[in-house]
Amino acid sequence: QLQLVESGGGLVQPGGSLRLSCAASGFTLDYYAIAWFRQAPGKKREGVSCITGSNGSTYYAGSVKGRFTISRDNAKNTVYLQMNSLKPDDTAVYYCAADYRPTQDICNFLVAYDYWGQGTQVTVSS
C-alpha cells in the first residue's frame, strides 16, 4: 500500500521551531516531487514548499521564505520541513504530497499530486 505519513507537529510558542517529517511507505520517493501544503480553519489550502526529485530544486511560498527549509533524505525515504521563527499565522494542518516527476527540474503547487498524507497539526500560540 502506497502511503505518506506526516509527523512532528505540535504546539509551539511564537518564535519557536518544529521539524515536520513526511515518510513514504510502499514506494520510493527518489523520483517524486514532494510538496508541503497547509490548511487553516476557514481558509483554502495553500502550498508552502516543494522539492524536486531529479535535482533537489526547492521552492517556497513568500509567507515562509527565509523561515522554512525543505529537504529530503532519499536513503530514509523521508522529506523534512524545518520551520523556524514560527508565527501564529502558521497555525494549520500540514500535509505532504508526492507527484511522480523524474525529469522535472522545477516544482510547483499547481500540478495534481498523486499521493497525500493524513496531515499533522501545527499550532503556534503563547
Side-chain angles (χ1 to χ4, degrees):
Q1 185 178 2
L2 307 181
Q3 209 172 9
L4 292 174
V5 178
E6 302 97 334
S7 61
L11 173 63
V12 64
Q13 292 186 342
S17 298
L18 283 174
R19 188 177 80 156
L20 305 184
S21 298
C22 172
S25 62
F27 67 109
T28 57
L29 291 177
D30 295 37
Y31 298 108
Y32 283 78
I34 306 298
W36 286 95
F37 293 84
R38 66 186 182 187
Q39 188 164 21
K43 293 188 177 180
K44 290 184 178 180
R45 186 177 65 196
E46 62 174 348
V48 174
S49 181
C50 59
I51 186 167
T52 62
S54 59
N55 60 359
S57 175
T58 59
Y59 178 80
Y60 298 91
S63 58
V64 306
K65 197 169 185 178
R67 300 188 297 122
F68 291 11
T69 303
I70 191 170
S71 62
R72 62 192 304 150
D73 185 338
N74 287 348
K76 294 184 178 180
N77 218 24
T78 300
V79 171
Y80 304 98
L81 184 68
Q82 178 67 43
M83 306 187 296
N84 298 329
S85 303
L86 283 162
K87 306 175 182 179
D89 283 350
D90 295 318
T91 296
V93 177
Y94 284 71
Y95 301 89
C96 65
D99 180 49
Y100 184 68
R101 299 273 175 170
T103 60
Q104 180 193 44
D105 57 4
I106 299 175
C107 62
N108 63 74
F109 305 130
L110 302 178
V111 299
Y113 282 81
D114 299 318
Y115 305 107
W116 290 79
Q118 82 290 347
T120 185
Q121 176 71 46
V122 171
T123 303
V124 185
S125 174
S126 55

